[in-house]
Structures are given as C-alpha cells and as structure tokens.
Amino acid sequence: MDDVGYGDYGSYGAPDVRTPHIDRLAREGVKFTDFYAAPTCTPTRAALITGRYQQRVALEYPIGSPPGGGRGLTANGRSLAQLLKNNGYATGLMGKWHLGYRPEQHPNAHGFDSFFGFLSGLVDYYHHTDQNGNGDLYENATPVQVEGYMTDLITERSMKFIEDHAGQPFFLEVAYNAAHWPFQVPDTPSRAPGNARFVQPHEDGTSTRADYVAMLERADQGVGRILDTLQKRGLSGNTLVIFTNDNGGEWLSRNAPLYHRKDTLWEGGIRVPLIMKWPERIAPGRTTPQVGIVMDLTATILAATNTPVPAGARLDGMDLLPLLDARTPLERTLFFRITATRQQRAVRQGDWKLLIDAGDVLLFNLRADIGERTEVAKEHPEIARRLRGLLTAWEQDVDAEGKGQAATN
C-alpha cells in the first residue's frame, strides 16, 4: 500500500476502516509490530529492489514527475526481480514503479517480465495522468489507455498474472497507489483537481477521512480477490504472501499510536505494518516484536526461493524467516536519513532510538515510549554518544558509495 498509516488496518487497531482481507492475512500469518520502511516512496522501493540502503544508490528522496531529469535506479543485473528471473521465476510488477523514466531504469530492465502500471509517484485514479497532466499508464514500455479505477486495474492485472503463471514459480509485486493522493473515491469518476495535486486540510471543500477510507477499503477488496485467486489455483499453501506499506501515512491517515507522519523520521513516518503468510512455513495467528526493515524482505524472498545471490549484491538486509522461530527477538541496528525536504537522521538499536532533528539530539526508549513523547538524553548521555558514533560511521559508509552512484543515476 502507499501512504497508509500504521494504525489504518483493523489488525493494527483501526476503529473506522473495514479491512477484512488484510486482517485475514494477520490471522493466518505473522504480524510484525516493529517493522520499518524509508520515510517516502522512492527510497523504500529502491531499498526493496536492491536489498540495500537507498543512500547507496543515491535515491534518498522521491523522484519528481517527468520531465524530472534522469534520476532513477539504473539496472545492474542484481535487482530482486532479475535474480529471481535468473532462478527460473516468472516476474511481474502491477502498479507503481517510481524508480526512473529512462529505458534502462524501467521495470523490464530490472528483470520484470511483465509490467502494468505507472512510472511516476502518483496518478489520477480515473484518467491515469501524472501531475503534469500527461498520460502515465504502461504495458511494459508501451503507453496504453485502459478504462477503469486504478486500484481495480492493478487488482485485475495481478489476478491475471497469477492465472497465467500458476503452473510455474512466480514472483509478483502488487504496488497499489491507494491510498496516496489524489484522494479520489471509487465509483465516482472525476478528474483530480489541479492535475492530481496534493489537496491540503485547510482548503475549502478538502478531502475527508471518509474519502480516504473508501479508497483503502477498495484496495482491501483487491487483496481479497488476489488471495482468492491463489486459493482457487491451489497455490495458497506454498505461496509466501507479504503485505506492507512504503512509508507512514499522510494527513488523512491514522498513524496511532505513533507520532507524526510521512516524510519524517519520527515513528509515524517510518514504522509500517508488515504481515507475512506462508502456511507451509509460518505458524498462523502470531505477533512478533522482531525489528525489521524493508531490505530484509529482499533477503527473505531470495532465501525462501533458494535464489543464488552474487557477492556484488552486498545485501544490507537479512532473512526474517529464521527469526520467527527464535525465543527472543534478535537485536537490530537500523539507520535512517532525510536531507532534502528537512534535515533528520536517526538510528535504532534494540529499544533505543536516537533522532537528530535539525540541530536537536533526541533519545527515546521505544519499548517504553512508542509515541516518542518522553525524551531521555539527559538520563542516558552515554547511549546518545554511542548511537551518534554509529550513525556517523554509517553515513560515511553509505555516502562513499552513493557519491559514485549519483553520476550513474
């Protein structure tokens, strides 16, 4: 999902959204409470496709709509889809890409056999145009015109991909744009205002929480149709289904009990739901506090499919499946940074999180204070000092690599 809040699903506490199919995944699989993405969409997608911190490929902030320059993720033969394709998997992406517009940056160049969707960060749900009013709907590399609500089109193409490849191993990324703005509800065809601009809360006649809920519930219905397709083809038992978001929610979202929203390094911007279901491997109905990050999904998928990983891939993530059987969670050290729209840096190690917000150095114990309301640097300066050192070393590491990639991208 796209721009959906941590607390926007029934299984994560939403009181006003009906998400029975996503909640069914949680009942039939394992739900993570402490999983992280990047604070915005392009960085998270880059981390998933590469299995590495987005800073290593110089994609720390979102790519603009065309003509937004040539910035993007250039194929190098080591993407998630390419490695799976090399291992005999049919590969498909239905929905949002947002990793570049040049041919060498397209989904097909990264190993996706089939792509149906849009290249930019958002699209008019009915007219399939970007923020400049230009058509942004593709079948592989070919622009197409197809009638329909974008969420439903993504669902239908995902179902078709499963039907077409049910007799062979396959990998399918379903990248809904729901509930990203423009906040266009299903079954009410209209053009988004101002070429799909971001409608703000203070504007007259602005969008409502009810609009947002309707968008999200239609996407949940799509999840149900995809799960039913797997069931109908007898594939449910041995299919690993992963459900997550690309970042925290926007102003119409419910991020509770977290603080703040998308495009920040407060928990509301980076902590997201994660549900994994695999009946032949994962016991149902479990909740885990194991800390994870989006690059772990890359490593998990590659491990689950016994896909060879070349040394040059240098994954930053780790396979989550063995951790599900551990008696106690494995302590992780994870890093985050924004340097475009605002200046924030953060590191989480165990229960501790150091957040540098502009010039303020803040320390929180997330196990005791999930809402980041009680700052405790004065009680634990030694922890702040240690975490600051780790953050500095990480920045030096990723930036040394990212500077070289910036010219390529």
Side-chain angles (χ1 to χ4, degrees):
M1 298 294 176
D2 196 343
D3 281 15
V4 177
Y6 181 87
D8 266 329
Y9 308 108
S11 48
Y12 281 83
D16 62 338
V17 187
R18 295 183 300 272
T19 53
H21 305 291
I22 296 166
D23 300 340
R24 167 186 158 196
L25 279 177
R27 290 194 306 272
E28 296 178 353
V30 58
K31 181 180 76 172
F32 286 70
T33 60
D34 291 52
F35 188 76
Y36 290 91
T40 50
C41 40
T42 290
T44 291
R45 295 163 203 276
L48 175 66
I49 294 298
T50 65
R52 313 189 75 211
Y53 277 107
Q54 59 272 14
Q55 287 82 8
R56 298 191 189 278
V57 291
L59 290 174
E60 186 173 277
Y61 59 94
I63 297 170
S65 297
R71 198 166 66 94
L73 184 64
T74 299
N76 61 9
R78 297 191 296 269
S79 71
L80 173 60
Q82 186 64 59
L83 295 180
L84 290 166
K85 182 176 180 178
N86 295 347
N87 195 31
Y89 278 72
T91 54
L93 167 62
M94 309 300 155
K96 178 174 173 176
W97 176 239
H98 207 193
L99 287 174
Y101 306 109
R102 301 202 310 259
E104 63 271 24
Q105 300 166 341
H106 277 214
N108 298 127
H110 283 277
F112 285 102
D113 297 317
S114 304
F115 168 60
F116 173 81
F118 56 101
L119 299 176
S120 58
L122 60 98
V123 72
D124 183 300
Y125 282 76
Y126 289 100
H127 298 274
H128 316 139
T129 51
D130 65 18
Q131 280 187 290
N132 296 316
N134 299 317
D136 188 12
L137 186 62
Y138 291 84
E139 185 89 49
N140 294 318
T142 303
V144 295
Q145 292 185 348
V146 181
E147 295 294 321
Y149 188 65
M150 195 69 227
T151 301
D152 296 338
L153 295 179
I154 293 170
T155 296
E156 290 157 7
R157 291 303 182 105
S158 299
M159 295 166 62
K160 184 178 186 303
F161 181 89
I162 294 171
E163 293 282 2
D164 290 347
H165 299 284
Q168 66 181 116
F170 65 83
F171 166 69
L172 172 62
E173 180 183 350
V174 183
Y176 284 114
N177 52 319
H180 193 293
W181 47 276
F183 302 116
Q184 294 170 285
V185 299
D187 306 320
T188 308
S190 61
R191 186 174 294 277
N195 289 333
R197 67 177 176 82
F198 186 21
V199 178
Q200 299 289 346
H202 59 273
E203 297 185 48
D204 291 337
T206 190
S207 299
T208 66
R209 173 71 177 174
D211 296 335
Y212 174 90
V213 168
M215 296 168 66
L216 183 52
E217 289 183 348
R218 178 59 69 89
D220 176 78
Q221 293 169 21
V223 171
R225 295 175 67 191
I226 292 169
L227 294 175
D228 288 346
T229 303
L230 291 172
Q231 183 69 38
K232 183 178 71 172
R233 297 307 301 260
L235 300 173
S236 294
N238 196 33
T239 298
L240 170 59
V241 178
I242 299 171
F243 177 85
T244 192
N245 292 352
D246 63 346
N247 45 248
E250 263 293 355
W251 71 274
L252 284 170
S253 308
R254 178 182 183 271
N255 288 319
L258 311 178
Y259 175 62
H260 225 306
R261 61 173 76 149
K262 172 186 177 178
D263 201 25
T264 77
L265 298 187
W266 297 93
E267 291 293 287
I270 54 177
R271 192 188 293 209
V272 297
L274 173 66
I275 301 169
M276 298 173 64
K277 174 194 171 188
W278 188 3
E280 294 187 8
R281 173 66 176 81
I282 299 173
R286 300 165 63 185
T287 298
T288 177
Q290 175 61 57
V291 174
I293 194 167
V294 67
M295 297 86 75
D296 295 338
L297 301 182
T298 317
T300 300
I301 292 167
L302 292 171
T305 56
N306 296 311
T307 296
V309 180
R314 302 197 304 277
L315 302 179
D316 284 320
M318 64 187 301
D319 181 6
L320 292 173
L321 291 176
L323 303 183
L324 300 180
D325 299 323
R327 289 180 177 270
T328 57
L330 177 69
E331 182 174 283
R332 305 291 301 281
T333 303
L334 306 178
F335 301 94
F336 310 88
R337 188 176 69 183
I338 302 174
T339 57
T341 53
R342 66 189 75 213
Q343 296 288 323
Q344 288 187 328
R345 293 162 171 81
V347 52
R348 173 170 179 174
Q349 185 175 67
D351 294 339
W352 294 103
K353 177 181 176 182
L354 185 77
L355 172 63
I356 303 175
D357 188 1
D360 295 325
V361 179
L362 311 171
L363 183 68
F364 301 97
N365 185 304
L366 294 177
R367 195 62 56 199
D369 179 26
I370 190 173
E372 296 173 294
R373 298 291 82 193
T374 305
E375 200 278 317
V376 295
K378 62 184 177 298
E379 289 88 359
H380 302 281
E382 73 289 353
I383 295 177
R385 189 177 306 113
R386 172 169 55 82
L387 294 182
R388 185 66 179 91
L390 293 175
L391 186 55
T392 298
W394 172 79
E395 288 193 279
Q396 292 172 346
D397 178 32
V398 296
D399 286 344
E401 192 169 356
K403 288 177 182 177
Q405 283 293 316
T408 302
N409 291 346

